[in-house]
Amino acid sequence: MWRVLLLCCLSFQSVAASRIQFATEASYPPFEYLDDAGQFAGLDIDLANALCRHLKAECVFHNKAFDSLIPALQFRNYDAVIAALNVTEARSALVAFTDIYYDSSAVFVAKKGTYDGAVNVKNQAIGVQNGSQQQRYLVEEPSMQGALTVPYATYAKAFADLRLGDIDAVLVDFAVADAWLQAPTNSEFEIVGKKITDVEYFGLGYGIAVNKSNKRLLRDLNKALKQIKATGEYDRIIMKYFR
């Protein structure tokens, strides 16, 4: 009987180890989004799949609200979160992060001619994603006092309202802004001012989050990340999405 139980447990561990459940928020191109066929796509998705191949594991992705990602990971609903997550001190107190895989910075996007060189945020409606570091920056940073912070479930909705003129600007990751502005339909908009790289808010870059108790997965992901960088696969993924 004990032998049967032991075999069952070993079998369960083997199955669990061969599949990594990733939570993400798939409305943040070019990092993660749903393509025309409804499939997960983007830099983060390609990166996760590359890591899984090196670990001989299956990647399974789940689309969740951004502000629910870390709580869900803390409750062990998923194995990892890959969602262009800034590695910050506050988040690192809640979950563990892999090594940095992409630098991050934030920028304002607005209609051309709205601002002269920089955004004067006083009494300006600024769209941000709810639960994001951009939202925290607008609310807490002294130089942003007077801004009217407008939270959205997704940046797609924020950009839609920017097009309609319902908000004055959007504060978003530079890579996301750059990708959005490349679309011909968005040619009347521009990045305003310089990149914001405040480490207190935007951390050192993006990392994959895991539950603090899952040290083995953290180690394996870091090992695989080093491998894909050494083989050039990481660079190929980056070049696919950025000029």
Side-chain angles (χ1 to χ4, degrees):
M1 179 178 179
W2 286 110
R3 180 175 294 180
V4 172
L5 289 174
L6 179 59
L7 287 173
C8 288
C9 290
L10 289 173
S11 176
F12 175 80
Q13 289 174 356
S14 176
V15 171
S18 67
R19 179 179 292 118
I20 303 176
Q21 305 277 351
F22 282 95
T24 189
E25 194 275 297
S27 67
Y28 202 63
F31 291 99
E32 45 267 326
Y33 57 93
L34 298 177
D35 63 17
D36 293 339
Q39 300 299 308
F40 287 94
L43 187 156
D44 281 351
I45 306 305
D46 287 355
L47 178 66
N49 280 321
L51 297 176
C52 284
R53 283 194 295 273
H54 278 262
L55 295 173
K56 294 180 171 54
E58 176 192 1
C59 275
V60 180
F61 298 101
H62 303 269
N63 192 10
K64 308 297 292 182
F66 185 80
D67 55 3
S68 74
L69 293 175
I70 287 181
L73 188 59
Q74 289 180 287
F75 282 107
R76 303 183 185 183
N77 294 338
Y78 307 100
D79 300 309
V81 168
I82 187 163
L85 275 181
N86 301 94
V87 179
T88 64
E89 184 177 351
R91 284 175 175 165
S92 295
L94 303 174
V95 295
F97 281 99
T98 63
D99 297 335
I100 301 298
Y101 68 85
Y102 191 80
D103 293 333
S104 63
S105 58
V107 291
F108 287 99
V109 176
K111 191 171 184 178
K112 290 179 179 178
T114 303
Y115 302 101
D116 183 17
V119 176
N120 179 359
V121 299
K122 188 174 183 180
N123 298 322
Q124 298 293 285
I126 311 295
V128 289
Q129 186 170 44
N130 194 40
S132 68
Q133 290 302 107
Q134 287 86 356
Q135 181 183 36
R136 180 173 165 243
Y137 180 79
L138 276 185
V139 172
E140 297 181 7
E141 171 58 29
S143 64
M144 294 292 105
Q145 294 302 306
L148 305 177
T149 304
V150 184
Y152 290 87
T154 69
Y155 268 110
K157 293 181 179 178
F159 280 128
D161 274 3
L162 180 64
R163 279 200 195 95
L164 292 172
D166 291 340
I167 56 177
D168 300 297
V170 171
L171 181 60
V172 64
D173 182 272
F174 168 77
V176 175
D178 187 55
W180 187 77
L181 290 169
Q182 288 181 46
T185 53
N186 301 325
S187 60
E188 62 183 302
F189 298 90
E190 65 181 352
I191 290 174
V192 182
K194 298 179 180 179
K195 292 181 183 178
I196 305 169
T197 57
D198 193 322
V199 173
E200 180 182 351
Y201 296 99
F202 302 110
L204 302 173
Y206 294 155
I208 301 170
V210 301
N211 188 284
K212 279 183 173 289
S213 67
N214 202 343
K215 292 180 173 56
R216 178 177 179 179
L217 179 59
L218 183 67
R219 183 194 67 226
D220 288 348
L221 288 173
N222 275 330
K223 182 179 179 181
L225 188 57
K226 286 182 173 67
Q227 288 175 333
I228 67 169
K229 287 184 176 181
T231 62
E233 189 171 4
Y234 170 84
D235 289 333
R236 289 191 292 273
I237 292 171
I238 296 298
M239 291 301 294
K240 177 180 175 182
Y241 294 94
F242 299 111
R243 298 169 291 180

